[in-house]
Amino acid sequence: MLSYNVPPGNPEAPFRYFLWRLLIDAEYQRRGYGRAAMGLVIDVVRNSPGATDFFTSVHPGDGGPAPFYRSLGFEATGRVDDGEDVYRLPLAV
């Protein structure tokens, strides 16, 4: 689920490009499917209008996806949105 090219100034969607969820069934995790899917999504966002940053959020705690997103280059922003830590991937221009 992806928010794509959201116009600036929308208080309900403050990020222009935001990954809401990436869901891989537990049976198929750790097989590279999530990494491959994220590679494709990141490429799409990187080549999109006005894309300078790509955001996502993760539920904090053990067993969560934070290490996965950090391995893709996402950085913790220090912002918490609806109880989830917000991460940012800077996109090279």
Side-chain angles (χ1 to χ4, degrees), residues 58-60 80-85:
V58 301
H59 187 75
V80 176
D81 188 24
D82 209 19
E84 295 190 348
D85 297 330

Short mmCIF file of all heavy atoms in Angstrom, two decimals, residues 58-60 80-85:
data_model
loop_
_atom_site.label_atom_id
_atom_site.label_comp_id
_atom_site.label_asym_id
_atom_site.label_seq_id
_atom_site.Cartn_x
_atom_site.Cartn_y
_atom_site.Cartn_z
N VAL A 58 7.10 2.03 11.15
CA VAL A 58 7.18 0.67 11.67
C VAL A 58 6.73 0.66 13.13
O VAL A 58 6.98 1.60 13.87
CB VAL A 58 8.60 0.08 11.56
CG1 VAL A 58 9.06 0.05 10.12
CG2 VAL A 58 9.60 0.84 12.39
N HIS A 59 6.08 -0.42 13.48
CA HIS A 59 5.71 -0.63 14.88
C HIS A 59 6.99 -0.96 15.63
O HIS A 59 7.71 -1.88 15.25
CB HIS A 59 4.69 -1.76 15.00
CG HIS A 59 4.15 -1.91 16.38
ND1 HIS A 59 3.23 -1.04 16.91
CD2 HIS A 59 4.44 -2.81 17.35
CE1 HIS A 59 2.96 -1.40 18.14
NE2 HIS A 59 3.68 -2.47 18.44
N PRO A 60 7.29 -0.21 16.69
CA PRO A 60 8.54 -0.46 17.41
C PRO A 60 8.52 -1.77 18.18
O PRO A 60 7.45 -2.27 18.54
CB PRO A 60 8.65 0.74 18.36
CG PRO A 60 7.26 1.22 18.53
CD PRO A 60 6.53 0.88 17.26
N VAL A 80 7.15 10.10 15.60
CA VAL A 80 6.23 8.99 15.86
C VAL A 80 4.87 9.41 15.33
O VAL A 80 4.37 10.49 15.63
CB VAL A 80 6.16 8.67 17.37
CG1 VAL A 80 5.13 7.59 17.64
CG2 VAL A 80 7.53 8.25 17.89
N ASP A 81 4.28 8.55 14.52
CA ASP A 81 2.97 8.81 13.93
C ASP A 81 2.05 7.66 14.25
O ASP A 81 2.31 6.52 13.85
CB ASP A 81 3.11 9.00 12.42
CG ASP A 81 1.85 9.46 11.73
OD1 ASP A 81 0.98 10.06 12.40
OD2 ASP A 81 1.70 9.21 10.53
N ASP A 82 1.02 7.94 15.00
CA ASP A 82 0.03 6.92 15.36
C ASP A 82 0.68 5.71 16.04
O ASP A 82 0.35 4.57 15.77
CB ASP A 82 -0.76 6.50 14.13
CG ASP A 82 -2.18 6.05 14.46
OD1 ASP A 82 -2.68 6.39 15.54
OD2 ASP A 82 -2.78 5.35 13.61
N GLY A 83 1.68 5.99 16.90
CA GLY A 83 2.36 4.94 17.65
C GLY A 83 3.44 4.20 16.89
O GLY A 83 4.03 3.26 17.40
N GLU A 84 3.72 4.61 15.66
CA GLU A 84 4.76 3.96 14.87
C GLU A 84 5.90 4.92 14.58
O GLU A 84 5.68 6.12 14.38
CB GLU A 84 4.18 3.43 13.55
CG GLU A 84 3.16 2.33 13.75
CD GLU A 84 2.77 1.64 12.46
OE1 GLU A 84 3.10 2.15 11.36
OE2 GLU A 84 2.13 0.59 12.55
N ASP A 85 7.12 4.39 14.58
CA ASP A 85 8.31 5.18 14.27
C ASP A 85 8.36 5.44 12.77
O ASP A 85 8.20 4.52 11.96
CB ASP A 85 9.58 4.45 14.70
CG ASP A 85 9.64 4.22 16.20
OD1 ASP A 85 9.08 5.05 16.95
OD2 ASP A 85 10.25 3.22 16.62
#
